[in-house]
Amino acid sequence: QVQLVESGGGLVQPGGSLRLSCVVSGSIFSRNTMGWYRQAPEKERELVATIMSGTWTNYAASVKGRFTISRDSAKNTVYLQMNSLKPEDTAVYYCVYCSSYVCNPDYASWGQGTQVTVSS
């Protein structure tokens, strides 16, 4: 069993930055995928970014060039640095963990979510 605890959300003005963190604990596989999804009100859940236990990363087109995902494997922590934030980035952001390099969100472990609001 795996537990995920996110932090770092909040209110920021358009063009601003936030950094999300997620600490994963429990039974962690050496080959895994960690990442972030988000869900805005009345919208579908969408993938934001993922990173494997190496350095391979994947980003949604809407955030590429603005967001950076990284991880500290020694601390079992994944980060999401969000720059040049836009109002459409407003959503609840969820950390996910998958115990393989193939990550199906329906079978992943999820955090409780952290609210990100981009507004002036």
Side-chain angles (χ1 to χ4, degrees), residues 5-50:
V5 178
E6 301 115 330
S7 60
L11 173 65
V12 64
Q13 292 187 342
S17 298
L18 280 176
R19 188 194 196 203
L20 305 183
S21 300
C22 174
V23 179
V24 184
S25 61
S27 301
I28 299 170
F29 284 66
S30 58
R31 294 184 177 185
N32 61 68
T33 302
M34 299 174 70
W36 297 90
Y37 279 73
R38 67 185 181 186
Q39 187 163 23
E42 301 181 343
K43 289 192 175 181
E44 298 272 327
R45 177 182 68 188
E46 65 171 342
L47 170 72
V48 178
T50 56

Side-chain angles (χ1 to χ4, degrees), residues 8-108:
L11 173 65
V12 64
Q13 292 187 342
S17 298
L18 280 176
R19 188 194 196 203
L20 305 183
S21 300
C22 174
V23 179
V24 184
S25 61
S27 301
I28 299 170
F29 284 66
S30 58
R31 294 184 177 185
N32 61 68
T33 302
M34 299 174 70
W36 297 90
Y37 279 73
R38 67 185 181 186
Q39 187 163 23
E42 301 181 343
K43 289 192 175 181
E44 298 272 327
R45 177 182 68 188
E46 65 171 342
L47 170 72
V48 178
T50 56
I51 183 168
M52 294 179 180
S53 49
T55 56
W56 189 88
T57 58
N58 179 47
Y59 294 92
S62 59
V63 307
K64 196 171 290 186
R66 300 188 297 122
F67 291 10
T68 302
I69 189 170
S70 61
R71 62 188 291 165
D72 184 335
S73 295
K75 296 180 179 180
N76 291 324
T77 301
V78 62
Y79 305 97
L80 185 69
Q81 178 66 44
M82 305 185 292
N83 298 329
S84 303
L85 282 160
K86 305 175 181 179
E88 51 263 43
D89 294 317
T90 296
V92 177
Y93 284 69
Y94 296 92
C95 178
V96 297
Y97 166 87
C98 295
S99 57
S100 72
Y101 289 157
V102 179
C103 191
N104 182 333
D106 292 337
Y107 299 102

